[in-house]
PDB file of all heavy atoms in Angstrom:
ATOM      1  N   SER A 295       0.114  -7.586   8.321  1.00 72.00           N
ATOM      2  CA  SER A 295       0.442  -6.497   7.406  1.00 72.00           C
ATOM      3  C   SER A 295      -0.213  -6.751   6.056  1.00 72.00           C
ATOM      4  O   SER A 295      -0.398  -7.907   5.651  1.00 72.00           O
ATOM      5  CB  SER A 295       1.970  -6.397   7.229  1.00 72.00           C
ATOM      6  OG  SER A 295       2.604  -6.190   8.470  1.00 72.00           O
ATOM      7  N   VAL A 296      -0.570  -5.676   5.355  1.00 73.00           N
ATOM      8  CA  VAL A 296      -1.147  -5.776   4.022  1.00 73.00           C
ATOM      9  C   VAL A 296      -0.425  -4.789   3.109  1.00 73.00           C
ATOM     10  O   VAL A 296       0.256  -3.878   3.568  1.00 73.00           O
ATOM     11  CB  VAL A 296      -2.665  -5.482   4.016  1.00 73.00           C
ATOM     12  CG1 VAL A 296      -3.404  -6.446   4.918  1.00 73.00           C
ATOM     13  CG2 VAL A 296      -2.949  -4.046   4.410  1.00 73.00           C
ATOM     14  N   LEU A 297      -0.592  -4.989   1.806  1.00 75.00           N
ATOM     15  CA  LEU A 297      -0.041  -4.076   0.814  1.00 75.00           C
ATOM     16  C   LEU A 297      -1.166  -3.650  -0.110  1.00 75.00           C
ATOM     17  O   LEU A 297      -1.903  -4.492  -0.634  1.00 75.00           O
ATOM     18  CB  LEU A 297       1.073  -4.759   0.014  1.00 75.00           C
ATOM     19  CG  LEU A 297       1.754  -3.923  -1.069  1.00 75.00           C
ATOM     20  CD1 LEU A 297       2.495  -2.743  -0.453  1.00 75.00           C
ATOM     21  CD2 LEU A 297       2.729  -4.788  -1.881  1.00 75.00           C
ATOM     22  N   LEU A 298      -1.313  -2.323  -0.297  1.00 72.00           N
ATOM     23  CA  LEU A 298      -2.372  -1.779  -1.146  1.00 72.00           C
ATOM     24  C   LEU A 298      -1.783  -1.196  -2.421  1.00 72.00           C
ATOM     25  O   LEU A 298      -0.678  -0.667  -2.417  1.00 72.00           O
ATOM     26  CB  LEU A 298      -3.144  -0.678  -0.410  1.00 72.00           C
ATOM     27  CG  LEU A 298      -3.911  -1.071   0.851  1.00 72.00           C
ATOM     28  CD1 LEU A 298      -4.540   0.170   1.475  1.00 72.00           C
ATOM     29  CD2 LEU A 298      -4.974  -2.102   0.544  1.00 72.00           C
ATOM     30  N   ALA A 299      -2.578  -1.269  -3.494  1.00 72.00           N
ATOM     31  CA  ALA A 299      -2.201  -0.631  -4.755  1.00 72.00           C
ATOM     32  C   ALA A 299      -2.639   0.827  -4.721  1.00 72.00           C
ATOM     33  O   ALA A 299      -3.311   1.280  -3.799  1.00 72.00           O
ATOM     34  CB  ALA A 299      -2.865  -1.356  -5.924  1.00 72.00           C
ATOM     35  N   HIS A 300      -2.264   1.590  -5.752  1.00 71.00           N
ATOM     36  CA  HIS A 300      -2.634   3.002  -5.829  1.00 71.00           C
ATOM     37  C   HIS A 300      -4.141   3.192  -5.790  1.00 71.00           C
ATOM     38  O   HIS A 300      -4.642   4.183  -5.260  1.00 71.00           O
ATOM     39  CB  HIS A 300      -2.085   3.633  -7.111  1.00 71.00           C
ATOM     40  CG  HIS A 300      -0.595   3.739  -7.150  1.00 71.00           C
ATOM     41  ND1 HIS A 300       0.121   4.501  -6.256  1.00 71.00           N
ATOM     42  CD2 HIS A 300       0.325   3.167  -7.970  1.00 71.00           C
ATOM     43  CE1 HIS A 300       1.415   4.406  -6.520  1.00 71.00           C
ATOM     44  NE2 HIS A 300       1.570   3.598  -7.549  1.00 71.00           N
ATOM     45  N   ASN A 301      -4.886   2.232  -6.358  1.00 69.00           N
ATOM     46  CA  ASN A 301      -6.344   2.378  -6.413  1.00 69.00           C
ATOM     47  C   ASN A 301      -7.035   1.843  -5.167  1.00 69.00           C
ATOM     48  O   ASN A 301      -8.256   1.814  -5.091  1.00 69.00           O
ATOM     49  CB  ASN A 301      -6.900   1.670  -7.659  1.00 69.00           C
ATOM     50  CG  ASN A 301      -6.624   0.174  -7.648  1.00 69.00           C
ATOM     51  OD1 ASN A 301      -6.107  -0.375  -6.673  1.00 69.00           O
ATOM     52  ND2 ASN A 301      -6.972  -0.496  -8.736  1.00 69.00           N
ATOM     53  N   GLY A 302      -6.255   1.400  -4.176  1.00 69.00           N
ATOM     54  CA  GLY A 302      -6.834   0.934  -2.932  1.00 69.00           C
ATOM     55  C   GLY A 302      -7.131  -0.553  -2.894  1.00 69.00           C
ATOM     56  O   GLY A 302      -7.561  -1.073  -1.862  1.00 69.00           O
ATOM     57  N   SER A 303      -6.907  -1.278  -3.985  1.00 71.00           N
ATOM     58  CA  SER A 303      -7.130  -2.725  -3.966  1.00 71.00           C
ATOM     59  C   SER A 303      -5.979  -3.410  -3.240  1.00 71.00           C
ATOM     60  O   SER A 303      -4.866  -2.894  -3.175  1.00 71.00           O
ATOM     61  CB  SER A 303      -7.254  -3.263  -5.396  1.00 71.00           C
ATOM     62  OG  SER A 303      -6.042  -3.057  -6.105  1.00 71.00           O
ATOM     63  N   TYR A 304      -6.273  -4.572  -2.684  1.00 70.00           N
ATOM     64  CA  TYR A 304      -5.248  -5.318  -1.955  1.00 70.00           C
ATOM     65  C   TYR A 304      -4.301  -6.013  -2.933  1.00 70.00           C
ATOM     66  O   TYR A 304      -4.728  -6.721  -3.841  1.00 70.00           O
ATOM     67  CB  TYR A 304      -5.888  -6.365  -1.046  1.00 70.00           C
ATOM     68  CG  TYR A 304      -6.647  -5.792   0.126  1.00 70.00           C
ATOM     69  CD1 TYR A 304      -8.042  -5.843   0.164  1.00 70.00           C
ATOM     70  CD2 TYR A 304      -5.991  -5.191   1.187  1.00 70.00           C
ATOM     71  CE1 TYR A 304      -8.752  -5.321   1.230  1.00 70.00           C
ATOM     72  CE2 TYR A 304      -6.688  -4.665   2.255  1.00 70.00           C
ATOM     73  CZ  TYR A 304      -8.068  -4.727   2.270  1.00 70.00           C
ATOM     74  OH  TYR A 304      -8.762  -4.205   3.323  1.00 70.00           O
ATOM     75  N   ILE A 305      -3.006  -5.820  -2.714  1.00 71.00           N
ATOM     76  CA  ILE A 305      -1.996  -6.575  -3.448  1.00 71.00           C
ATOM     77  C   ILE A 305      -1.602  -7.795  -2.640  1.00 71.00           C
ATOM     78  O   ILE A 305      -1.463  -8.902  -3.152  1.00 71.00           O
ATOM     79  CB  ILE A 305      -0.747  -5.710  -3.726  1.00 71.00           C
ATOM     80  CG1 ILE A 305      -1.118  -4.485  -4.549  1.00 71.00           C
ATOM     81  CG2 ILE A 305       0.317  -6.533  -4.455  1.00 71.00           C
ATOM     82  CD1 ILE A 305       0.044  -3.535  -4.775  1.00 71.00           C
ATOM     83  N   VAL A 306      -1.413  -7.588  -1.326  1.00 73.00           N
ATOM     84  CA  VAL A 306      -1.063  -8.671  -0.409  1.00 73.00           C
ATOM     85  C   VAL A 306      -2.017  -8.593   0.778  1.00 73.00           C
ATOM     86  O   VAL A 306      -2.212  -7.529   1.371  1.00 73.00           O
ATOM     87  CB  VAL A 306       0.388  -8.558   0.087  1.00 73.00           C
ATOM     88  CG1 VAL A 306       0.706  -9.683   1.080  1.00 73.00           C
ATOM     89  CG2 VAL A 306       1.359  -8.606  -1.079  1.00 73.00           C
ATOM     90  N   HIS A 307      -2.620  -9.733   1.128  1.00 69.00           N
ATOM     91  CA  HIS A 307      -3.515  -9.808   2.289  1.00 69.00           C
ATOM     92  C   HIS A 307      -3.560 -11.274   2.732  1.00 69.00           C
ATOM     93  O   HIS A 307      -3.608 -12.172   1.890  1.00 69.00           O
ATOM     94  CB  HIS A 307      -4.921  -9.317   1.902  1.00 69.00           C
ATOM     95  CG  HIS A 307      -5.796  -9.009   3.076  1.00 69.00           C
ATOM     96  ND1 HIS A 307      -6.291  -9.985   3.905  1.00 69.00           N
ATOM     97  CD2 HIS A 307      -6.254  -7.835   3.579  1.00 69.00           C
ATOM     98  CE1 HIS A 307      -7.024  -9.432   4.862  1.00 69.00           C
ATOM     99  NE2 HIS A 307      -7.006  -8.124   4.678  1.00 69.00           N
ATOM    100  N   PRO A 308      -3.542 -11.530   4.043  1.00 66.00           N
ATOM    101  CA  PRO A 308      -3.584 -12.929   4.502  1.00 66.00           C
ATOM    102  C   PRO A 308      -4.877 -13.646   4.131  1.00 66.00           C
ATOM    103  O   PRO A 308      -4.897 -14.867   4.005  1.00 66.00           O
ATOM    104  CB  PRO A 308      -3.426 -12.813   6.031  1.00 66.00           C
ATOM    105  CG  PRO A 308      -3.783 -11.401   6.362  1.00 66.00           C
ATOM    106  CD  PRO A 308      -3.390 -10.590   5.174  1.00 66.00           C
ATOM    107  N   ASP A 309      -5.975 -12.890   3.954  1.00 69.00           N
ATOM    108  CA  ASP A 309      -7.234 -13.466   3.495  1.00 69.00           C
ATOM    109  C   ASP A 309      -7.265 -13.391   1.977  1.00 69.00           C
ATOM    110  O   ASP A 309      -7.489 -12.334   1.392  1.00 69.00           O
ATOM    111  CB  ASP A 309      -8.409 -12.684   4.105  1.00 69.00           C
ATOM    112  CG  ASP A 309      -9.760 -13.264   3.691  1.00 69.00           C
ATOM    113  OD1 ASP A 309      -9.778 -14.229   2.901  1.00 69.00           O
ATOM    114  OD2 ASP A 309     -10.791 -12.735   4.149  1.00 69.00           O
ATOM    115  N   LYS A 310      -7.067 -14.528   1.323  1.00 65.00           N
ATOM    116  CA  LYS A 310      -6.942 -14.537  -0.130  1.00 65.00           C
ATOM    117  C   LYS A 310      -8.208 -14.067  -0.837  1.00 65.00           C
ATOM    118  O   LYS A 310      -8.152 -13.599  -1.972  1.00 65.00           O
ATOM    119  CB  LYS A 310      -6.561 -15.943  -0.618  1.00 65.00           C
ATOM    120  CG  LYS A 310      -5.150 -16.355  -0.203  1.00 65.00           C
ATOM    121  CD  LYS A 310      -4.760 -17.699  -0.793  1.00 65.00           C
ATOM    122  CE  LYS A 310      -3.336 -18.064  -0.393  1.00 65.00           C
ATOM    123  NZ  LYS A 310      -2.936 -19.383  -0.936  1.00 65.00           N
ATOM    124  N   ASP A 311      -9.360 -14.175  -0.169  1.00 64.00           N
ATOM    125  CA  ASP A 311     -10.599 -13.698  -0.787  1.00 64.00           C
ATOM    126  C   ASP A 311     -10.554 -12.192  -1.029  1.00 64.00           C
ATOM    127  O   ASP A 311     -11.203 -11.678  -1.941  1.00 64.00           O
ATOM    128  CB  ASP A 311     -11.799 -14.034   0.108  1.00 64.00           C
ATOM    129  CG  ASP A 311     -12.093 -15.530   0.139  1.00 64.00           C
ATOM    130  OD1 ASP A 311     -11.654 -16.233  -0.799  1.00 64.00           O
ATOM    131  OD2 ASP A 311     -12.739 -15.991   1.102  1.00 64.00           O
ATOM    132  N   LYS A 312      -9.799 -11.493  -0.182  1.00 63.00           N
ATOM    133  CA  LYS A 312      -9.691 -10.040  -0.337  1.00 63.00           C
ATOM    134  C   LYS A 312      -8.995  -9.667  -1.644  1.00 63.00           C
ATOM    135  O   LYS A 312      -9.226  -8.593  -2.196  1.00 63.00           O
ATOM    136  CB  LYS A 312      -8.903  -9.441   0.836  1.00 63.00           C
ATOM    137  CG  LYS A 312      -9.607  -9.530   2.179  1.00 63.00           C
ATOM    138  CD  LYS A 312     -10.728  -8.528   2.267  1.00 63.00           C
ATOM    139  CE  LYS A 312     -11.339  -8.477   3.651  1.00 63.00           C
ATOM    140  NZ  LYS A 312     -12.467  -7.544   3.734  1.00 63.00           N
ATOM    141  N   LEU A 313      -8.125 -10.548  -2.137  1.00 62.00           N
ATOM    142  CA  LEU A 313      -7.328 -10.228  -3.320  1.00 62.00           C
ATOM    143  C   LEU A 313      -8.176 -10.181  -4.585  1.00 62.00           C
ATOM    144  O   LEU A 313      -7.790  -9.555  -5.565  1.00 62.00           O
ATOM    145  CB  LEU A 313      -6.198 -11.251  -3.484  1.00 62.00           C
ATOM    146  CG  LEU A 313      -5.237 -11.369  -2.298  1.00 62.00           C
ATOM    147  CD1 LEU A 313      -4.184 -12.434  -2.563  1.00 62.00           C
ATOM    148  CD2 LEU A 313      -4.569 -10.030  -2.007  1.00 62.00           C
ATOM    149  N   SER A 314      -9.320 -10.843  -4.556  1.00 60.00           N
ATOM    150  CA  SER A 314     -10.188 -10.854  -5.736  1.00 60.00           C
ATOM    151  C   SER A 314     -11.307  -9.829  -5.626  1.00 60.00           C
ATOM    152  O   SER A 314     -12.111  -9.681  -6.551  1.00 60.00           O
ATOM    153  CB  SER A 314     -10.800 -12.253  -5.931  1.00 60.00           C
ATOM    154  OG  SER A 314     -11.546 -12.632  -4.782  1.00 60.00           O
ATOM    155  N   ASN A 315     -11.377  -9.116  -4.499  1.00 60.00           N
ATOM    156  CA  ASN A 315     -12.415  -8.110  -4.311  1.00 60.00           C
ATOM    157  C   ASN A 315     -12.028  -6.801  -4.982  1.00 60.00           C
ATOM    158  O   ASN A 315     -10.845  -6.556  -5.230  1.00 60.00           O
ATOM    159  CB  ASN A 315     -12.651  -7.855  -2.816  1.00 60.00           C
ATOM    160  CG  ASN A 315     -13.458  -8.969  -2.177  1.00 60.00           C
ATOM    161  OD1 ASN A 315     -14.181  -9.690  -2.852  1.00 60.00           O
ATOM    162  ND2 ASN A 315     -13.325  -9.116  -0.875  1.00 60.00           N
ATOM    163  N   PRO A 316     -12.999  -5.935  -5.244  1.00 56.00           N
ATOM    164  CA  PRO A 316     -12.669  -4.614  -5.787  1.00 56.00           C
ATOM    165  C   PRO A 316     -11.952  -3.782  -4.740  1.00 56.00           C
ATOM    166  O   PRO A 316     -11.728  -4.224  -3.613  1.00 56.00           O
ATOM    167  CB  PRO A 316     -14.039  -4.027  -6.125  1.00 56.00           C
ATOM    168  CG  PRO A 316     -14.992  -4.743  -5.224  1.00 56.00           C
ATOM    169  CD  PRO A 316     -14.438  -6.133  -5.094  1.00 56.00           C
ATOM    170  N   ALA A 317     -11.607  -2.565  -5.098  1.00 58.00           N
ATOM    171  CA  ALA A 317     -10.901  -1.686  -4.175  1.00 58.00           C
ATOM    172  C   ALA A 317     -11.684  -1.543  -2.879  1.00 58.00           C
ATOM    173  O   ALA A 317     -12.902  -1.523  -2.873  1.00 58.00           O
ATOM    174  CB  ALA A 317     -10.700  -0.311  -4.815  1.00 58.00           C
ATOM    175  N   VAL A 318     -10.956  -1.457  -1.766  1.00 59.00           N
ATOM    176  CA  VAL A 318     -11.593  -1.367  -0.458  1.00 59.00           C
ATOM    177  C   VAL A 318     -12.513  -0.154  -0.372  1.00 59.00           C
ATOM    178  O   VAL A 318     -13.492  -0.141   0.361  1.00 59.00           O
ATOM    179  CB  VAL A 318     -10.521  -1.320   0.655  1.00 59.00           C
ATOM    180  CG1 VAL A 318      -9.744  -0.024   0.619  1.00 59.00           C
ATOM    181  CG2 VAL A 318     -11.164  -1.509   2.027  1.00 59.00           C
ATOM    182  N   PHE A 319     -12.267   0.873  -1.167  1.00 57.00           N
ATOM    183  CA  PHE A 319     -13.098   2.069  -1.148  1.00 57.00           C
ATOM    184  C   PHE A 319     -14.526   1.779  -1.607  1.00 57.00           C
ATOM    185  O   PHE A 319     -15.444   2.504  -1.291  1.00 57.00           O
ATOM    186  CB  PHE A 319     -12.517   3.150  -2.061  1.00 57.00           C
ATOM    187  CG  PHE A 319     -11.108   3.532  -1.715  1.00 57.00           C
ATOM    188  CD1 PHE A 319     -10.235   3.959  -2.694  1.00 57.00           C
ATOM    189  CD2 PHE A 319     -10.641   3.468  -0.416  1.00 57.00           C
ATOM    190  CE1 PHE A 319      -8.932   4.321  -2.385  1.00 57.00           C
ATOM    191  CE2 PHE A 319      -9.347   3.827  -0.090  1.00 57.00           C
ATOM    192  CZ  PHE A 319      -8.486   4.251  -1.080  1.00 57.00           C
ATOM    193  N   SER A 320     -14.706   0.726  -2.401  1.00 57.00           N
ATOM    194  CA  SER A 320     -16.025   0.447  -2.952  1.00 57.00           C
ATOM    195  C   SER A 320     -16.703  -0.724  -2.258  1.00 57.00           C
ATOM    196  O   SER A 320     -17.640  -1.301  -2.783  1.00 57.00           O
ATOM    197  CB  SER A 320     -15.907   0.145  -4.456  1.00 57.00           C
ATOM    198  OG  SER A 320     -15.128  -1.017  -4.668  1.00 57.00           O
ATOM    199  N   GLN A 321     -16.235  -1.087  -1.059  1.00 54.00           N
ATOM    200  CA  GLN A 321     -16.756  -2.265  -0.383  1.00 54.00           C
ATOM    201  C   GLN A 321     -17.830  -1.944   0.655  1.00 54.00           C
ATOM    202  O   GLN A 321     -18.100  -2.736   1.543  1.00 54.00           O
ATOM    203  CB  GLN A 321     -15.611  -3.041   0.281  1.00 54.00           C
ATOM    204  CG  GLN A 321     -14.688  -3.688  -0.741  1.00 54.00           C
ATOM    205  CD  GLN A 321     -13.609  -4.515  -0.071  1.00 54.00           C
ATOM    206  OE1 GLN A 321     -13.617  -4.678   1.132  1.00 54.00           O
ATOM    207  NE2 GLN A 321     -12.689  -5.036  -0.842  1.00 54.00           N
ATOM    208  N   LYS A 322     -18.468  -0.772   0.567  1.00 52.00           N
ATOM    209  CA  LYS A 322     -19.499  -0.417   1.531  1.00 52.00           C
ATOM    210  C   LYS A 322     -20.638  -1.433   1.506  1.00 52.00           C
ATOM    211  O   LYS A 322     -21.241  -1.737   2.528  1.00 52.00           O
ATOM    212  CB  LYS A 322     -20.030   0.985   1.237  1.00 52.00           C
ATOM    213  CG  LYS A 322     -19.012   2.083   1.486  1.00 52.00           C
ATOM    214  CD  LYS A 322     -19.611   3.454   1.200  1.00 52.00           C
ATOM    215  CE  LYS A 322     -18.579   4.550   1.429  1.00 52.00           C
ATOM    216  NZ  LYS A 322     -19.111   5.898   1.141  1.00 52.00           N
ATOM    217  N   GLU A 323     -20.938  -1.952   0.309  1.00 47.00           N
ATOM    218  CA  GLU A 323     -22.034  -2.894   0.206  1.00 47.00           C
ATOM    219  C   GLU A 323     -21.684  -4.225   0.861  1.00 47.00           C
ATOM    220  O   GLU A 323     -22.527  -5.083   1.046  1.00 47.00           O
ATOM    221  CB  GLU A 323     -22.405  -3.121  -1.272  1.00 47.00           C
ATOM    222  CG  GLU A 323     -21.361  -3.858  -2.104  1.00 47.00           C
ATOM    223  CD  GLU A 323     -20.246  -2.944  -2.598  1.00 47.00           C
ATOM    224  OE1 GLU A 323     -20.265  -1.762  -2.223  1.00 47.00           O
ATOM    225  OE2 GLU A 323     -19.387  -3.420  -3.343  1.00 47.00           O
ATOM    226  N   GLN A 324     -20.403  -4.427   1.223  1.00 58.00           N
ATOM    227  CA  GLN A 324     -19.981  -5.655   1.883  1.00 58.00           C
ATOM    228  C   GLN A 324     -19.824  -5.440   3.384  1.00 58.00           C
ATOM    229  O   GLN A 324     -19.101  -6.152   4.051  1.00 58.00           O
ATOM    230  CB  GLN A 324     -18.663  -6.139   1.280  1.00 58.00           C
ATOM    231  CG  GLN A 324     -18.774  -6.422  -0.210  1.00 58.00           C
ATOM    232  CD  GLN A 324     -17.447  -6.873  -0.808  1.00 58.00           C
ATOM    233  OE1 GLN A 324     -16.606  -7.406  -0.092  1.00 58.00           O
ATOM    234  NE2 GLN A 324     -17.266  -6.653  -2.089  1.00 58.00           N
ATOM    235  N   ASN A 325     -20.532  -4.445   3.906  1.00 62.00           N
ATOM    236  CA  ASN A 325     -20.536  -4.159   5.342  1.00 62.00           C
ATOM    237  C   ASN A 325     -19.160  -3.805   5.894  1.00 62.00           C
ATOM    238  O   ASN A 325     -18.830  -4.130   7.028  1.00 62.00           O
ATOM    239  CB  ASN A 325     -21.107  -5.354   6.122  1.00 62.00           C
ATOM    240  CG  ASN A 325     -22.555  -5.649   5.755  1.00 62.00           C
ATOM    241  OD1 ASN A 325     -23.348  -4.725   5.581  1.00 62.00           O
ATOM    242  ND2 ASN A 325     -22.879  -6.928   5.606  1.00 62.00           N
ATOM    243  N   VAL A 326     -18.360  -3.161   5.097  1.00 67.00           N
ATOM    244  CA  VAL A 326     -17.079  -2.662   5.577  1.00 67.00           C
ATOM    245  C   VAL A 326     -17.321  -1.394   6.386  1.00 67.00           C
ATOM    246  O   VAL A 326     -18.038  -0.496   5.927  1.00 67.00           O
ATOM    247  CB  VAL A 326     -16.112  -2.375   4.403  1.00 67.00           C
ATOM    248  CG1 VAL A 326     -14.836  -1.722   4.915  1.00 67.00           C
ATOM    249  CG2 VAL A 326     -15.796  -3.667   3.671  1.00 67.00           C
ATOM    250  N   ASP A 327     -16.759  -1.334   7.572  1.00 71.00           N
ATOM    251  CA  ASP A 327     -16.951  -0.169   8.420  1.00 71.00           C
ATOM    252  C   ASP A 327     -16.314   1.064   7.773  1.00 71.00           C
ATOM    253  O   ASP A 327     -15.226   0.972   7.214  1.00 71.00           O
ATOM    254  CB  ASP A 327     -16.318  -0.422   9.801  1.00 71.00           C
ATOM    255  CG  ASP A 327     -16.756   0.617  10.817  1.00 71.00           C
ATOM    256  OD1 ASP A 327     -16.098   1.675  10.882  1.00 71.00           O
ATOM    257  OD2 ASP A 327     -17.732   0.364  11.522  1.00 71.00           O
ATOM    258  N   PRO A 328     -16.986   2.221   7.827  1.00 75.00           N
ATOM    259  CA  PRO A 328     -16.424   3.445   7.222  1.00 75.00           C
ATOM    260  C   PRO A 328     -15.041   3.787   7.761  1.00 75.00           C
ATOM    261  O   PRO A 328     -14.218   4.341   7.033  1.00 75.00           O
ATOM    262  CB  PRO A 328     -17.446   4.526   7.609  1.00 75.00           C
ATOM    263  CG  PRO A 328     -18.727   3.782   7.806  1.00 75.00           C
ATOM    264  CD  PRO A 328     -18.344   2.451   8.359  1.00 75.00           C
ATOM    265  N   SER A 329     -14.767   3.433   9.021  1.00 76.00           N
ATOM    266  CA  SER A 329     -13.458   3.737   9.601  1.00 76.00           C
ATOM    267  C   SER A 329     -12.349   2.969   8.902  1.00 76.00           C
ATOM    268  O   SER A 329     -11.223   3.445   8.779  1.00 76.00           O
ATOM    269  CB  SER A 329     -13.451   3.421  11.099  1.00 76.00           C
ATOM    270  OG  SER A 329     -13.694   2.040  11.337  1.00 76.00           O
ATOM    271  N   GLU A 330     -12.663   1.750   8.402  1.00 73.00           N
ATOM    272  CA  GLU A 330     -11.660   0.967   7.673  1.00 73.00           C
ATOM    273  C   GLU A 330     -11.361   1.607   6.324  1.00 73.00           C
ATOM    274  O   GLU A 330     -10.209   1.641   5.873  1.00 73.00           O
ATOM    275  CB  GLU A 330     -12.138  -0.472   7.475  1.00 73.00           C
ATOM    276  CG  GLU A 330     -11.108  -1.349   6.776  1.00 73.00           C
ATOM    277  CD  GLU A 330     -11.577  -2.768   6.534  1.00 73.00           C
ATOM    278  OE1 GLU A 330     -12.682  -3.130   7.016  1.00 73.00           O
ATOM    279  OE2 GLU A 330     -10.854  -3.524   5.864  1.00 73.00           O
ATOM    280  N   ILE A 331     -12.404   2.122   5.676  1.00 73.00           N
ATOM    281  CA  ILE A 331     -12.213   2.798   4.395  1.00 73.00           C
ATOM    282  C   ILE A 331     -11.356   4.038   4.581  1.00 73.00           C
ATOM    283  O   ILE A 331     -10.463   4.322   3.778  1.00 73.00           O
ATOM    284  CB  ILE A 331     -13.582   3.147   3.777  1.00 73.00           C
ATOM    285  CG1 ILE A 331     -14.352   1.858   3.460  1.00 73.00           C
ATOM    286  CG2 ILE A 331     -13.397   3.973   2.518  1.00 73.00           C
ATOM    287  CD1 ILE A 331     -15.746   2.092   2.916  1.00 73.00           C
ATOM    288  N   GLU A 332     -11.609   4.793   5.656  1.00 78.00           N
ATOM    289  CA  GLU A 332     -10.816   5.990   5.928  1.00 78.00           C
ATOM    290  C   GLU A 332      -9.362   5.626   6.189  1.00 78.00           C
ATOM    291  O   GLU A 332      -8.449   6.327   5.759  1.00 78.00           O
ATOM    292  CB  GLU A 332     -11.403   6.749   7.123  1.00 78.00           C
ATOM    293  CG  GLU A 332     -12.743   7.414   6.832  1.00 78.00           C
ATOM    294  CD  GLU A 332     -12.670   8.353   5.642  1.00 78.00           C
ATOM    295  OE1 GLU A 332     -11.704   9.155   5.573  1.00 78.00           O
ATOM    296  OE2 GLU A 332     -13.548   8.278   4.755  1.00 78.00           O
ATOM    297  N   ALA A 333      -9.137   4.527   6.901  1.00 75.00           N
ATOM    298  CA  ALA A 333      -7.764   4.082   7.170  1.00 75.00           C
ATOM    299  C   ALA A 333      -7.060   3.693   5.872  1.00 75.00           C
ATOM    300  O   ALA A 333      -5.890   4.011   5.656  1.00 75.00           O
ATOM    301  CB  ALA A 333      -7.776   2.901   8.145  1.00 75.00           C
ATOM    302  N   ALA A 334      -7.794   3.011   4.986  1.00 73.00           N
ATOM    303  CA  ALA A 334      -7.218   2.614   3.699  1.00 73.00           C
ATOM    304  C   ALA A 334      -6.862   3.840   2.862  1.00 73.00           C
ATOM    305  O   ALA A 334      -5.812   3.890   2.224  1.00 73.00           O
ATOM    306  CB  ALA A 334      -8.185   1.709   2.941  1.00 73.00           C
TER     307      ALA A 334
END
């Protein structure tokens, strides 16, 4: 399970590196699949 903020950034995630990343919406350059962005 994860917890997202209003802006789409991770508040809680088992991968701690995710917590320092920008909002998941802006992670296209990090090879995030578009389906994950839509889910977020």
